[in-house]
Amino acid sequence: MRNFLVTIQYEGSRYQGWQRQENTKNTLQAKFESLLTKLAGEPVEIAASGRTDAGVHAYGQAANFHMDTALTPGQLMGEINRYLPEDVAVVACREVDARFHARLHAKRKVYRYRVLNSDVPHVFDRKFVYQVEKPLNVEAMRAAASFLIGTHDFKSFTSAKKGKKSTVRTVESIAIERVGDEVRFLFAGDGFLFHMVRILVGTLLEVGLSMREAADLGRVLAACDRGQAGFLAPACGLALMEVFYDT
Amino acid sequence: MRNFLVTIQYEGSRYQGWQRQENTKNTLQAKFESLLTKLAGEPVEIAASGRTDAGVHAYGQAANFHMDTALTPGQLMGEINRYLPEDVAVVACREVDARFHARLHAKRKVYRYRVLNSDVPHVFDRKFVYQVEKPLNVEAMRAAASFLIGTHDFKSFTSAKKGKKSTVRTVESIAIERVGDEVRFLFAGDGFLFHMVRILVGTLLEVGLSMREAADLGRVLAACDRGQAGFLAPACGLALMEVFYDT
Protein backbone atom coordinates (compact mmCIF):
# COMPACT_ATOMS: atom_id res chain seq x y z
CA MET A 1 0.00 0.00 0.00
CA ARG A 2 1.29 3.47 -0.86
CA ASN A 3 1.29 6.15 1.84
CA PHE A 4 0.33 9.72 0.90
CA LEU A 5 0.95 12.90 2.89
CA VAL A 6 -1.47 15.68 1.99
CA THR A 7 -1.60 19.35 2.97
CA ILE A 8 -5.20 20.45 3.48
CA GLN A 9 -6.88 23.85 3.64
CA TYR A 10 -10.33 24.34 5.07
CA GLU A 11 -12.67 27.04 6.21
CA GLY A 12 -13.87 25.49 9.45
CA SER A 13 -17.09 27.52 9.82
CA ARG A 14 -19.44 24.80 8.53
CA TYR A 15 -17.78 21.82 10.23
CA GLN A 16 -17.86 20.10 13.62
CA GLY A 17 -14.08 20.04 13.64
CA TRP A 18 -11.60 17.59 12.14
CA GLN A 19 -12.22 14.43 14.12
CA ARG A 20 -14.74 11.77 13.14
CA GLN A 21 -17.63 11.57 15.63
CA GLU A 22 -20.40 9.07 16.28
CA ASN A 23 -23.23 11.60 16.25
CA THR A 24 -22.46 13.61 13.10
CA LYS A 25 -21.15 13.13 9.59
CA ASN A 26 -20.20 16.77 9.43
CA THR A 27 -16.54 16.47 10.32
CA LEU A 28 -13.60 16.89 7.99
CA GLN A 29 -12.18 13.47 8.76
CA ALA A 30 -15.53 11.84 7.90
CA LYS A 31 -15.72 13.80 4.61
CA PHE A 32 -12.21 12.70 3.64
CA GLU A 33 -12.65 9.07 4.64
CA SER A 34 -15.93 8.78 2.77
CA LEU A 35 -14.38 10.31 -0.35
CA LEU A 36 -11.14 8.29 -0.19
CA THR A 37 -13.05 5.09 0.45
CA LYS A 38 -15.10 5.73 -2.70
CA LEU A 39 -11.96 6.48 -4.72
CA ALA A 40 -10.14 3.37 -3.45
CA GLY A 41 -13.11 1.00 -3.50
CA GLU A 42 -12.15 -0.17 0.00
CA PRO A 43 -12.09 1.42 3.46
CA VAL A 44 -9.45 4.16 3.85
CA GLU A 45 -8.63 5.90 7.13
CA ILE A 46 -6.93 9.27 7.26
CA ALA A 47 -4.72 10.44 10.15
CA ALA A 48 -4.27 14.19 10.65
CA SER A 49 -1.47 15.90 12.59
CA GLY A 50 -4.12 16.62 15.22
CA ARG A 51 -7.76 17.49 15.57
CA THR A 52 -8.96 21.03 15.09
CA ASP A 53 -12.04 22.21 17.01
CA ALA A 54 -15.39 23.05 15.43
CA GLY A 55 -15.08 26.35 13.56
CA VAL A 56 -11.27 26.40 13.48
CA HIS A 57 -9.68 26.93 10.05
CA ALA A 58 -6.61 25.35 8.46
CA TYR A 59 -4.17 26.76 5.92
CA GLY A 60 -1.86 23.79 6.29
CA GLN A 61 -3.35 20.80 8.09
CA ALA A 62 -1.27 17.68 7.38
CA ALA A 63 -2.68 14.18 7.10
CA ASN A 64 -1.68 10.81 5.70
CA PHE A 65 -3.55 7.80 4.35
CA HIS A 66 -2.69 4.47 2.76
CA MET A 67 -4.11 3.62 -0.66
CA ASP A 68 -3.51 1.29 -3.58
CA THR A 69 -3.62 3.42 -6.68
CA ALA A 70 -1.83 3.84 -10.00
CA LEU A 71 -2.26 7.63 -9.86
CA THR A 72 0.63 10.02 -9.35
CA PRO A 73 0.37 12.21 -6.23
CA GLY A 74 -0.63 15.16 -8.47
CA GLN A 75 -3.35 13.16 -10.19
CA LEU A 76 -4.64 11.88 -6.85
CA MET A 77 -4.80 15.46 -5.54
CA GLY A 78 -6.82 16.46 -8.62
CA GLU A 79 -9.24 13.55 -8.11
CA ILE A 80 -9.75 14.38 -4.43
CA ASN A 81 -10.31 18.09 -5.15
CA ARG A 82 -12.87 17.22 -7.81
CA TYR A 83 -15.12 15.73 -5.11
CA LEU A 84 -14.40 18.00 -2.15
CA PRO A 85 -16.81 20.85 -1.29
CA GLU A 86 -15.51 24.33 -2.11
CA ASP A 87 -14.55 25.16 1.49
CA VAL A 88 -11.99 22.31 1.60
CA ALA A 89 -9.03 21.62 -0.70
CA VAL A 90 -5.90 19.53 -0.89
CA VAL A 91 -3.10 21.93 -1.85
CA ALA A 92 -0.17 19.49 -1.83
CA CYS A 93 0.26 15.73 -2.04
CA ARG A 94 3.36 13.55 -1.91
CA GLU A 95 4.23 9.95 -1.32
CA VAL A 96 6.01 9.13 1.94
CA ASP A 97 7.54 6.16 3.69
CA ALA A 98 5.03 3.43 4.61
CA ARG A 99 5.68 3.96 8.32
CA PHE A 100 5.12 7.74 8.26
CA HIS A 101 2.26 8.94 10.51
CA ALA A 102 1.05 12.54 10.39
CA ARG A 103 0.28 12.78 14.11
CA LEU A 104 3.05 10.67 15.61
CA HIS A 105 5.80 12.23 13.51
CA ALA A 106 4.74 15.89 13.75
CA LYS A 107 7.67 17.87 15.16
CA ARG A 108 6.32 21.39 15.26
CA LYS A 109 3.08 23.25 14.64
CA VAL A 110 2.27 26.86 13.93
CA TYR A 111 -1.12 28.38 14.75
CA ARG A 112 -2.33 31.90 14.01
CA TYR A 113 -5.04 33.80 15.86
CA ARG A 114 -6.48 36.95 14.27
CA VAL A 115 -8.15 39.66 16.35
CA LEU A 116 -9.87 42.55 14.59
CA ASN A 117 -9.11 45.41 16.98
CA SER A 118 -11.53 48.01 15.70
CA ASP A 119 -15.15 49.08 16.03
CA VAL A 120 -15.50 48.93 12.23
CA PRO A 121 -16.51 45.42 11.12
CA HIS A 122 -14.56 43.43 8.52
CA VAL A 123 -16.74 42.40 5.61
CA PHE A 124 -14.27 40.20 3.77
CA ASP A 125 -12.47 38.52 6.66
CA ARG A 126 -15.41 38.38 9.05
CA LYS A 127 -15.30 34.58 9.32
CA PHE A 128 -11.59 34.57 10.15
CA VAL A 129 -11.27 37.20 12.88
CA TYR A 130 -12.54 37.75 16.41
CA GLN A 131 -13.54 41.36 16.88
CA VAL A 132 -12.39 43.24 20.00
CA GLU A 133 -13.51 46.86 19.84
CA LYS A 134 -11.50 48.30 22.76
CA PRO A 135 -7.85 49.14 22.02
CA LEU A 136 -5.41 46.36 22.89
CA ASN A 137 -2.05 47.03 24.54
CA VAL A 138 0.29 44.95 22.37
CA GLU A 139 3.38 45.70 24.50
CA ALA A 140 1.66 44.37 27.64
CA MET A 141 0.56 41.22 25.80
CA ARG A 142 4.12 40.63 24.59
CA ALA A 143 5.42 40.98 28.15
CA ALA A 144 2.78 38.50 29.32
CA ALA A 145 3.59 36.06 26.51
CA SER A 146 7.25 35.96 27.55
CA PHE A 147 6.22 34.00 30.68
CA LEU A 148 4.80 31.24 28.48
CA ILE A 149 7.83 30.54 26.29
CA GLY A 150 9.66 27.32 27.02
CA THR A 151 8.76 23.89 28.35
CA HIS A 152 6.02 24.03 30.97
CA ASP A 153 3.04 22.15 32.33
CA PHE A 154 0.20 23.97 30.54
CA LYS A 155 -2.58 22.37 32.61
CA SER A 156 -4.02 25.83 33.35
CA PHE A 157 -4.49 26.36 29.64
CA THR A 158 -6.52 23.35 28.54
CA SER A 159 -10.16 22.31 28.75
CA ALA A 160 -9.13 18.64 28.73
CA LYS A 161 -10.48 16.61 31.62
CA LYS A 162 -7.96 15.20 34.08
CA GLY A 163 -6.24 12.26 32.51
CA LYS A 164 -3.03 10.32 32.44
CA LYS A 165 -1.66 12.17 29.43
CA SER A 166 1.11 14.67 29.98
CA THR A 167 0.13 18.34 29.80
CA VAL A 168 3.76 19.40 29.40
CA ARG A 169 4.45 21.15 26.11
CA THR A 170 7.17 23.37 24.65
CA VAL A 171 6.09 26.73 23.29
CA GLU A 172 8.91 27.96 21.07
CA SER A 173 7.61 31.42 20.28
CA ILE A 174 4.60 33.69 20.51
CA ALA A 175 4.76 36.61 18.08
CA ILE A 176 2.20 39.37 18.52
CA GLU A 177 1.98 41.93 15.72
CA ARG A 178 -0.33 44.77 14.85
CA VAL A 179 -1.21 44.49 11.13
CA GLY A 180 -3.47 47.33 10.02
CA ASP A 181 -6.57 47.18 12.22
CA GLU A 182 -5.74 43.62 13.36
CA VAL A 183 -3.63 42.14 16.12
CA ARG A 184 -2.21 38.78 15.04
CA PHE A 185 -0.85 36.11 17.36
CA LEU A 186 1.49 33.48 15.94
CA PHE A 187 2.19 30.43 18.13
CA ALA A 188 4.92 27.89 17.38
CA GLY A 189 5.54 24.80 19.47
CA ASP A 190 5.94 21.05 19.56
CA GLY A 191 2.23 20.58 20.14
CA PHE A 192 -0.76 22.21 21.78
CA LEU A 193 -3.34 20.79 24.21
CA PHE A 194 -7.11 20.80 23.68
CA HIS A 195 -8.23 24.49 23.54
CA MET A 196 -4.71 25.60 24.56
CA VAL A 197 -4.15 28.26 21.89
CA ARG A 198 -7.61 29.74 22.38
CA ILE A 199 -7.21 29.93 26.18
CA LEU A 200 -3.74 31.44 25.80
CA VAL A 201 -5.21 34.07 23.47
CA GLY A 202 -8.14 34.74 25.83
CA THR A 203 -5.74 35.22 28.75
CA LEU A 204 -3.41 37.46 26.74
CA LEU A 205 -6.39 39.54 25.57
CA GLU A 206 -7.34 40.12 29.22
CA VAL A 207 -3.83 41.53 29.70
CA GLY A 208 -4.20 43.62 26.53
CA LEU A 209 -7.44 45.07 27.92
CA SER A 210 -5.80 45.83 31.30
CA MET A 211 -8.05 43.34 33.09
CA ARG A 212 -4.95 41.42 34.22
CA GLU A 213 -1.25 42.23 34.80
CA ALA A 214 1.35 40.81 32.42
CA ALA A 215 3.24 39.22 35.34
CA ASP A 216 0.06 37.39 36.34
CA LEU A 217 0.78 34.87 33.56
CA GLY A 218 3.63 33.33 35.57
CA ARG A 219 1.27 32.71 38.49
CA VAL A 220 -1.45 31.26 36.24
CA LEU A 221 1.03 28.88 34.62
CA ALA A 222 2.34 27.69 38.02
CA ALA A 223 -1.19 27.17 39.40
CA CYS A 224 -1.96 24.29 37.00
CA ASP A 225 -5.62 25.28 37.36
CA ARG A 226 -7.86 26.11 34.38
CA GLY A 227 -9.88 28.41 36.65
CA GLN A 228 -6.94 30.82 36.94
CA ALA A 229 -6.57 31.38 33.19
CA GLY A 230 -8.65 33.64 30.99
CA PHE A 231 -11.60 33.07 28.68
CA LEU A 232 -11.74 30.69 25.74
CA ALA A 233 -11.29 32.90 22.65
CA PRO A 234 -13.77 32.03 19.85
CA ALA A 235 -12.82 29.37 17.31
CA CYS A 236 -13.31 31.61 14.25
CA GLY A 237 -10.08 33.57 14.87
CA LEU A 238 -7.90 30.45 14.94
CA ALA A 239 -6.13 28.72 12.06
CA LEU A 240 -3.63 25.87 11.92
CA MET A 241 -1.00 27.32 9.58
CA GLU A 242 1.69 24.67 9.19
CA VAL A 243 2.90 21.32 10.50
CA PHE A 244 6.57 20.41 10.29
CA TYR A 245 8.15 16.97 9.88
CA ASP A 246 11.70 15.71 9.67
CA THR A 247 10.82 13.70 6.58
CA MET B 1 -30.56 68.64 5.67
CA ARG B 2 -27.04 67.35 6.25
CA ASN B 3 -25.32 65.45 3.44
CA PHE B 4 -23.19 62.39 4.30
CA LEU B 5 -20.61 60.67 2.11
CA VAL B 6 -20.03 57.05 3.11
CA THR B 7 -17.46 54.47 1.99
CA ILE B 8 -19.07 51.04 1.77
CA GLN B 9 -17.65 47.51 1.62
CA TYR B 10 -19.70 44.55 0.51
CA GLU B 11 -19.34 40.96 -0.53
CA GLY B 12 -21.62 40.97 -3.56
CA SER B 13 -22.24 37.20 -3.70
CA ARG B 14 -25.70 37.31 -2.06
CA TYR B 15 -26.99 40.45 -3.79
CA GLN B 16 -28.67 41.39 -7.07
CA GLY B 17 -26.21 44.24 -7.45
CA TRP B 18 -26.27 47.78 -6.07
CA GLN B 19 -29.22 49.34 -7.85
CA ARG B 20 -32.78 49.28 -6.50
CA GLN B 21 -35.06 47.14 -8.71
CA GLU B 22 -38.81 46.72 -8.95
CA ASN B 23 -38.78 42.93 -8.79
CA THR B 24 -36.48 42.28 -5.81
CA LYS B 25 -35.64 43.75 -2.42
CA ASN B 26 -32.28 42.03 -2.54
CA THR B 27 -30.17 44.92 -3.76
CA LEU B 28 -27.69 46.93 -1.74
CA GLN B 29 -29.40 50.23 -2.49
CA ALA B 30 -32.73 48.87 -1.23
CA LYS B 31 -31.07 47.56 1.97
CA PHE B 32 -29.49 50.94 2.65
CA GLU B 33 -32.59 52.98 1.86
CA SER B 34 -34.78 50.79 4.05
CA LEU B 35 -32.30 51.06 6.95
CA LEU B 36 -31.70 54.83 6.56
CA THR B 37 -35.42 55.50 6.25
CA LYS B 38 -35.98 53.70 9.56
CA LEU B 39 -33.15 55.61 11.24
CA ALA B 40 -34.39 58.97 9.91
CA GLY B 41 -38.11 58.35 10.37
CA GLU B 42 -38.69 59.69 6.86
CA PRO B 43 -37.81 58.52 3.34
CA VAL B 44 -34.08 58.65 2.56
CA GLU B 45 -32.56 57.97 -0.85
CA ILE B 46 -28.92 56.99 -1.31
CA ALA B 47 -26.89 57.75 -4.45
CA ALA B 48 -23.85 55.57 -5.17
CA SER B 49 -20.92 56.44 -7.45
CA GLY B 50 -22.38 53.89 -9.84
CA ARG B 51 -24.15 50.58 -9.86
CA THR B 52 -22.25 47.35 -9.43
CA ASP B 53 -23.59 44.19 -11.10
CA ALA B 54 -25.01 41.21 -9.24
CA GLY B 55 -22.16 39.32 -7.58
CA VAL B 56 -19.59 42.13 -7.86
CA HIS B 57 -17.82 43.10 -4.63
CA ALA B 58 -16.84 46.50 -3.28
CA TYR B 59 -13.93 47.49 -1.05
CA GLY B 60 -14.67 51.19 -1.52
CA GLN B 61 -18.06 51.97 -3.01
CA ALA B 62 -18.94 55.64 -2.38
CA ALA B 63 -22.45 56.93 -1.79
CA ASN B 64 -24.18 59.96 -0.32
CA PHE B 65 -27.52 60.64 1.34
CA HIS B 66 -29.28 63.56 2.99
CA MET B 67 -30.51 63.20 6.56
CA ASP B 68 -31.55 65.32 9.50
CA THR B 69 -29.75 63.94 12.52
CA ALA B 70 -27.92 65.17 15.61
CA LEU B 71 -25.40 62.31 15.34
CA THR B 72 -21.74 62.85 14.45
CA PRO B 73 -20.60 61.05 11.27
CA GLY B 74 -18.83 58.46 13.46
CA GLN B 75 -21.95 57.83 15.52
CA LEU B 76 -24.08 57.58 12.38
CA MET B 77 -21.65 55.02 10.92
CA GLY B 78 -21.93 52.99 14.14
CA GLU B 79 -25.74 53.08 14.00
CA ILE B 80 -25.82 51.99 10.36
CA ASN B 81 -23.34 49.15 10.95
CA ARG B 82 -25.42 47.94 13.90
CA TYR B 83 -28.27 47.12 11.50
CA LEU B 84 -26.40 46.02 8.37
CA PRO B 85 -25.96 42.31 7.61
CA GLU B 86 -22.43 41.00 8.14
CA ASP B 87 -21.52 41.02 4.43
CA VAL B 88 -21.96 44.81 4.21
CA ALA B 89 -20.30 47.56 6.24
CA VAL B 90 -19.79 51.31 6.22
CA VAL B 91 -16.07 51.84 6.80
CA ALA B 92 -15.95 55.66 6.60
CA CYS B 93 -18.46 58.47 6.94
CA ARG B 94 -18.06 62.24 6.63
CA GLU B 95 -20.23 65.27 6.11
CA VAL B 96 -19.99 66.98 2.73
CA ASP B 97 -21.37 70.04 0.98
CA ALA B 98 -25.15 69.93 0.44
CA ARG B 99 -24.69 69.87 -3.33
CA PHE B 100 -22.25 66.96 -3.39
CA HIS B 101 -23.46 63.94 -5.43
CA ALA B 102 -21.54 60.64 -5.34
CA ARG B 103 -22.23 59.77 -8.98
CA LEU B 104 -22.14 63.17 -10.65
CA HIS B 105 -18.95 64.27 -8.88
CA ALA B 106 -16.94 61.05 -9.20
CA LYS B 107 -13.66 61.85 -10.99
CA ARG B 108 -11.96 58.51 -11.09
CA LYS B 109 -12.62 54.89 -10.26
CA VAL B 110 -10.39 51.91 -9.64
CA TYR B 111 -11.56 48.33 -10.20
CA ARG B 112 -9.67 45.12 -9.49
CA TYR B 113 -10.22 41.76 -11.16
CA ARG B 114 -8.66 38.65 -9.57
CA VAL B 115 -7.93 35.52 -11.62
CA LEU B 116 -6.73 32.40 -9.83
CA ASN B 117 -4.34 30.96 -12.40
CA SER B 118 -3.87 27.49 -11.00
CA ASP B 119 -5.49 24.06 -11.01
CA VAL B 120 -5.45 24.07 -7.20
CA PRO B 121 -8.63 25.67 -5.83
CA HIS B 122 -8.57 28.58 -3.37
CA VAL B 123 -10.49 27.75 -0.21
CA PHE B 124 -10.33 31.14 1.49
CA ASP B 125 -10.68 33.47 -1.50
CA ARG B 126 -12.96 31.27 -3.58
CA LYS B 127 -15.74 33.87 -3.70
CA PHE B 128 -13.38 36.60 -4.89
CA VAL B 129 -11.50 34.99 -7.76
CA TYR B 130 -12.25 33.53 -11.16
CA GLN B 131 -10.25 30.34 -11.70
CA VAL B 132 -8.41 29.83 -14.99
CA GLU B 133 -6.43 26.61 -14.88
CA LYS B 134 -4.32 27.02 -18.04
CA PRO B 135 -1.20 29.21 -17.69
CA LEU B 136 -1.77 32.85 -18.68
CA ASN B 137 0.77 34.84 -20.66
CA VAL B 138 0.98 38.06 -18.64
CA GLU B 139 3.35 39.78 -21.09
CA ALA B 140 0.93 39.24 -23.98
CA MET B 141 -1.97 40.59 -21.91
CA ARG B 142 0.06 43.68 -21.02
CA ALA B 143 0.81 44.27 -24.69
CA ALA B 144 -2.89 43.90 -25.51
CA ALA B 145 -3.90 46.24 -22.67
CA SER B 146 -1.68 49.00 -24.06
CA PHE B 147 -4.13 49.39 -26.98
CA LEU B 148 -6.89 50.27 -24.54
CA ILE B 149 -5.20 53.08 -22.62
CA GLY B 150 -6.48 56.57 -23.39
CA THR B 151 -9.76 58.13 -24.48
CA HIS B 152 -11.71 55.85 -26.83
CA ASP B 153 -15.21 54.83 -27.78
CA PHE B 154 -15.55 51.58 -25.82
CA LYS B 155 -18.78 50.50 -27.54
CA SER B 156 -17.22 47.08 -28.30
CA PHE B 157 -16.76 46.53 -24.57
CA THR B 158 -20.24 47.05 -23.16
CA SER B 159 -23.43 45.02 -22.95
CA ALA B 160 -25.48 48.24 -22.85
CA LYS B 161 -28.17 48.46 -25.50
CA LYS B 162 -27.79 51.16 -28.13
CA GLY B 163 -28.72 54.48 -26.62
CA LYS B 164 -28.06 58.18 -26.76
CA LYS B 165 -25.48 58.09 -24.00
CA SER B 166 -21.83 58.47 -24.93
CA THR B 167 -19.73 55.31 -24.84
CA VAL B 168 -16.50 57.33 -24.82
CA ARG B 169 -14.41 56.82 -21.71
CA THR B 170 -10.84 57.44 -20.62
CA VAL B 171 -8.90 54.46 -19.31
CA GLU B 172 -5.90 55.82 -17.42
CA SER B 173 -4.11 52.61 -16.68
CA ILE B 174 -4.39 48.84 -16.70
CA ALA B 175 -1.89 47.12 -14.43
CA ILE B 176 -1.55 43.34 -14.75
CA GLU B 177 0.48 41.61 -12.06
CA ARG B 178 1.17 38.04 -11.09
CA VAL B 179 0.75 37.74 -7.30
CA GLY B 180 1.49 34.22 -6.11
CA ASP B 181 -0.88 31.91 -7.99
CA GLU B 182 -3.11 34.82 -9.04
CA VAL B 183 -3.10 37.25 -11.93
CA ARG B 184 -4.57 40.60 -10.83
CA PHE B 185 -5.88 43.30 -13.15
CA LEU B 186 -6.17 46.86 -11.84
CA PHE B 187 -8.19 49.30 -13.96
CA ALA B 188 -8.22 53.06 -13.37
CA GLY B 189 -10.32 55.50 -15.38
CA ASP B 190 -12.87 58.27 -15.31
CA GLY B 191 -15.72 55.79 -15.55
CA PHE B 192 -16.64 52.40 -16.94
CA LEU B 193 -19.62 51.32 -19.05
CA PHE B 194 -22.05 48.52 -18.13
CA HIS B 195 -20.01 45.25 -18.05
CA MET B 196 -16.97 47.09 -19.46
CA VAL B 197 -14.34 45.86 -16.98
CA ARG B 198 -15.57 42.27 -17.21
CA ILE B 199 -15.55 42.27 -21.03
CA LEU B 200 -12.09 43.88 -21.05
CA VAL B 201 -10.88 41.12 -18.73
CA GLY B 202 -12.54 38.39 -20.82
CA THR B 203 -10.89 39.73 -23.97
CA LEU B 204 -7.48 40.08 -22.29
CA LEU B 205 -7.77 36.53 -20.94
CA GLU B 206 -8.33 35.27 -24.50
CA VAL B 207 -5.01 36.94 -25.38
CA GLY B 208 -3.38 35.42 -22.28
CA LEU B 209 -4.57 31.98 -23.42
CA SER B 210 -3.24 32.54 -26.97
CA MET B 211 -6.76 32.44 -28.42
CA ARG B 212 -6.28 35.97 -29.75
CA GLU B 213 -3.30 38.18 -30.73
CA ALA B 214 -2.41 41.17 -28.55
CA ALA B 215 -2.64 43.52 -31.55
CA ASP B 216 -6.20 42.31 -32.16
CA LEU B 217 -7.33 44.65 -29.36
CA GLY B 218 -6.82 47.71 -31.57
CA ARG B 219 -9.11 46.23 -34.22
CA VAL B 220 -11.77 45.26 -31.65
CA LEU B 221 -11.74 48.77 -30.17
CA ALA B 222 -12.12 50.39 -33.61
CA ALA B 223 -14.95 48.03 -34.62
CA CYS B 224 -17.39 49.48 -32.04
CA ASP B 225 -19.09 46.07 -32.08
CA ARG B 226 -19.63 43.97 -28.96
CA GLY B 227 -19.48 40.84 -31.12
CA GLN B 228 -15.78 41.41 -31.79
CA ALA B 229 -14.75 41.47 -28.12
CA GLY B 230 -14.21 38.51 -25.84
CA PHE B 231 -16.36 36.78 -23.23
CA LEU B 232 -17.92 38.39 -20.19
CA ALA B 233 -15.67 37.40 -17.27
CA PRO B 234 -17.67 36.24 -14.20
CA ALA B 235 -18.79 38.82 -11.64
CA CYS B 236 -17.13 37.10 -8.66
CA GLY B 237 -13.61 38.19 -9.69
CA LEU B 238 -14.50 41.88 -9.81
CA ALA B 239 -14.36 44.48 -7.04
CA LEU B 240 -14.83 48.25 -7.03
CA MET B 241 -11.79 49.35 -5.02
CA GLU B 242 -11.95 53.13 -4.77
CA VAL B 243 -13.79 56.20 -6.05
CA PHE B 244 -12.02 59.54 -6.15
CA TYR B 245 -13.53 63.04 -5.74
CA ASP B 246 -12.11 66.55 -5.81
CA THR B 247 -13.88 67.36 -2.58
Side-chain angles (χ1 to χ4, degrees), chain A residues 3-195:
Chain A
N3 189 9
F4 294 95
L5 168 61
V6 287
T7 306
I8 305 171
Q9 292 193 343
Y10 45 87
E11 178 180 324
S13 320
R14 283 205 305 139
Y15 298 96
Q16 294 300 316
W18 171 269
Q19 195 171 54
R20 196 193 320 129
Q21 293 171 39
E22 287 287 317
N23 56 340
T24 174
K25 286 184 177 174
N26 194 30
T27 67
L28 289 144
Q29 186 180 13
K31 297 272 175 211
F32 270 93
E33 291 185 343
S34 147
L35 191 162
L36 293 170
T37 295
K38 269 181 205 160
L39 283 180
E42 58 183 342
V44 178
E45 293 197 353
I46 186 165
S49 69
R51 58 185 84 173
T52 52
D53 303 338
V56 172
H57 315 291
Y59 283 75
Q61 172 67 290
N64 77 294
F65 57 86
H66 295 266
M67 189 189 268
D68 264 335
T69 174
L71 299 176
T72 66
Q75 289 168 334
L76 181 57
M77 176 166 101
E79 278 301 296
I80 296 171
N81 282 332
R82 191 191 316 277
Y83 297 107
L84 281 175
E86 63 176 9
D87 51 5
V88 189
V90 173
V91 297
C93 178
R94 64 189 175 96
E95 200 167 349
V96 286
D97 186 273
R99 287 158 303 181
F100 174 86
H101 189 283
R103 179 168 56 80
L104 300 177
H105 295 139
K107 291 289 179 227
R108 186 169 175 259
K109 288 183 187 174
V110 175
Y111 280 92
R112 182 176 70 185
Y113 198 96
R114 292 173 64 182
V115 171
L116 171 58
N117 191 26
S118 165
D119 57 356
V120 180
H122 254 210
V123 164
F124 298 99
D125 288 338
R126 64 187 185 277
K127 291 179 180 168
F128 307 104
V129 296
Y130 166 51
Q131 186 168 4
V132 174
E133 298 201 7
K134 290 183 188 163
L136 288 165
N137 183 338
V138 170
E139 280 310 316
M141 293 193 291
R142 284 185 184 139
S146 70
F147 289 91
L148 303 165
I149 306 305
T151 303
H152 305 287
D153 187 339
F154 283 96
K155 196 176 282 184
S156 294
F157 298 95
T158 177
S159 308
K161 300 280 175 288
K162 241 182 184 145
K164 288 177 186 170
K165 285 187 184 169
S166 168
T167 46
V168 173
R169 293 291 184 279
T170 300
V171 173
E172 285 172 35
S173 61
I174 304 176
I176 309 176
E177 301 291 343
R178 195 172 279 283
V179 181
D181 53 4
E182 286 183 34
V183 173
R184 295 191 181 175
F185 299 77
L186 209 62
F187 295 83
D190 63 348
F192 295 88
L193 304 166
F194 178 51
H195 282 171

